[in-house]
Amino acid sequence: MGLYSALARPLLFRFQPETAHRFGEYALRASPLWSALRPMLSTSDKRLETTVAGIKFPNPVGVAAGLDKDCRFLPGLLDIGFGFATGGTVTRDARPGNARPRVIREPGQRALLNALGFLGEGLDAAESRLRKLSDEQRKRIMVSISGTEVDDIAECHRRLQPLVAALEVNVSSPNTAGLRTFHQPDNLGRLVTALVEQQDRPLCVKLPPWRSDEERNEMMPMARASLEAGADGLVIANTRPTEDDRLAVGRGGLSGAPLFEDTLRMVADARQELGSEFALIACGGIGAADHVWRLLEAGASAIQLYTAFIYEGPGLPGRVNRDLVKRMESAGLNSLPSGGG
Ligand SMILES: Cc1cc2nc3c(=O)[nH]c(=O)nc-3n(C[C@H](O)[C@H](O)[C@H](O)COP(=O)(O)O)c2cc1C
């Protein structure tokens, strides 16, 4: 058992999830510490290099949106060995989020339930923090943007794109009233077109998950509308909408281990249905090299994770990457399975 599982996690889990998150954030902001630990924690092996929408990342294991909503500790996340990190979701204006309780841990399932809503300090704060990153760091940063109005999202896109490698537009948070307007393919197409017109960085659209045929019939047209309007890729997917009375608003999004099989199924489905020409970032329930490997084989270009990091701590990205290298060696391969895009 590692230091995190034996000591840090039991201590952090004595606090409310949002308080524990703040402690974790302070720790990850201690940049010199993580730079010094970088050789121990991260793995630099050329065989792990991964290209997503034309951008080269040192490995396929990325941080999902929401972990660093206000772009405060992205360099720390890169130093501990993630190949790339996604800041945000950033909205134009600061937002307080939903009423509490709004995050619940489900340790038995290695899962979280959250109904944070778009909680954050807004565009000005994110922009000024991203400005402080070095060029080297920026090459490995994505930023997630959203809002309920095309103009607001376009402003986030215009101001943040010079500061990052790629952007992701989130139209899939289950916790934000007003976002469903972009579940209409025409509206989503108009949004993506507006962003593509001012685009000089790759743009991905983060979709909601689908389980039933009815949901699939809603999400596939969203995926198609995004790609036809010029998006470079898709992030599949966001949390699973779930009703739960322990949350003040009565419903939220489930994340973590219970999502993995759905993620695998959706990635294979999307690749089969939509072709191999777009970047596909898999997200949901990923926490081990075997997950990453199977997703790459199923058609993912790279992966993002959040909840497994809360349960496994800062050793996770290095461990996953080292295990990917071992897997390549035992399969006699010099590169990772190629998912396309
Ligand atoms: C507390 C919390 C906050 C999140 N906030 C965001 C967010 O701001 N934007 C977004 O696109 N996804 C957000 N997500 C969803 C994650 O990016 C990811 O899609 C989801 O958690 C599934 O991945 P995981 O199982 O690895 O956590 C959030 C997830 C959690 C648990």
Side-chain angles (χ1 to χ4, degrees):
M1 191 188 282
L3 208 58
Y4 181 82
S5 308
L7 285 175
R9 187 177 61 208
L11 199 65
L12 284 170
F13 277 27
R14 293 169 82 123
F15 295 91
Q16 292 293 325
E18 288 186 62
T19 310
H21 194 99
R22 208 152 302 128
F23 290 143
E25 176 185 317
Y26 285 130
L28 281 161
R29 279 163 64 184
S31 222
L33 170 71
W34 301 110
S35 306
L37 291 176
R38 187 168 45 203
M40 261 175 63
L41 289 170
S42 65
T43 314
S44 58
D45 188 311
K46 285 264 175 227
R47 291 171 292 179
L48 290 167
E49 276 183 4
T50 300
T51 302
V52 180
I55 298 174
K56 205 181 273 183
F57 295 131
N59 66 65
V61 184
V63 180
L67 184 65
D68 187 3
K69 285 184 185 280
D70 290 311
C71 304
R72 291 170 179 274
F73 52 94
L74 296 168
L77 292 167
L78 299 181
D79 281 339
I80 61 173
F82 283 105
F84 62 103
T86 313
T89 293
V90 176
T91 52
R92 199 195 64 175
D93 300 316
R95 293 171 61 115
N98 290 325
R100 293 169 199 244
R102 53 192 181 179
V103 187
I104 294 169
R105 291 187 198 102
E106 297 280 12
Q109 296 186 70
R110 300 243 149 187
L112 295 171
L113 253 176
N114 95 84
L116 288 172
F118 283 151
L119 164 73
E121 293 182 333
L123 177 58
D124 290 346
E127 185 184 21
S128 75
R129 292 197 186 106
L130 290 171
R131 276 193 192 289
K132 297 192 183 116
L133 299 180
S134 68
D135 287 346
E136 276 312 301
Q137 289 166 335
R138 281 194 191 136
K139 287 182 193 158
R140 294 164 61 196
I141 298 296
M142 293 184 69
V143 70
S144 164
I145 54 173
S146 195
T148 52
E149 304 293 331
V150 172
D151 286 351
D152 291 354
I153 304 174
E155 184 177 347
C156 293
H157 181 262
R158 186 172 46 74
R159 285 171 53 188
L160 297 183
Q161 71 169 339
L163 308 174
V164 295
L167 295 99
E168 167 182 311
V169 59
N170 172 12
V171 292
S172 48
S173 164
N175 305 314
T176 305
L179 215 56
R180 277 196 72 85
T181 175
F182 297 118
H183 288 209
Q184 295 295 327
D186 288 350
N187 293 344
L188 181 56
R190 268 192 288 279
L191 168 65
V192 174
T193 301
L195 303 183
V196 166
E197 274 169 9
Q198 58 182 21
Q199 175 183 19
D200 64 13
R201 297 283 191 281
L203 176 72
C204 294
V205 176
K206 184 166 179 180
L207 294 175
W210 61 93
R211 303 187 91 196
S212 62
D213 286 349
E214 198 184 330
E215 285 170 345
R216 186 179 188 274
N217 291 342
E218 184 181 354
M219 304 323 164
M220 278 299 174
M222 289 174 70
R224 264 205 199 87
S226 304
L227 297 174
E228 280 165 12
D232 301 277
L234 303 172
V235 181
I236 296 177
N238 213 313
T239 51
R240 181 192 298 165
T242 306
E243 308 220 331
D244 197 304
D245 288 342
R246 292 171 298 170
L247 295 164
V249 292
R251 63 194 309 271
L254 179 72
S255 61
L259 302 192
F260 176 72
E261 291 301 330
D262 277 356
T263 306
L264 190 58
R265 174 185 48 75
M266 289 185 287
V267 164
D269 188 9
R271 265 292 176 234
Q272 194 165 19
E273 182 79 20
L274 303 164
S276 59
E277 295 302 308
F278 64 98
L280 198 172
I281 302 179
C283 183
I286 302 163
D290 180 59
H291 295 158
V292 181
W293 191 272
R294 287 162 69 194
L295 285 161
L296 295 177
E297 282 185 332
S301 319
I303 70 100
Q304 295 172 341
L305 62 85
Y306 181 148
T307 304
F309 181 66
I310 303 298
Y311 285 96
E312 303 291 330
L316 179 67
R319 191 157 61 241
V320 169
N321 280 311
R322 280 192 297 278
D323 289 348
L324 284 172
V325 171
K326 281 189 208 147
R327 181 108 180 220
M328 275 189 274
E329 285 172 350
S330 64
L333 296 174
N334 274 325
S335 61
L336 291 166
S338 166

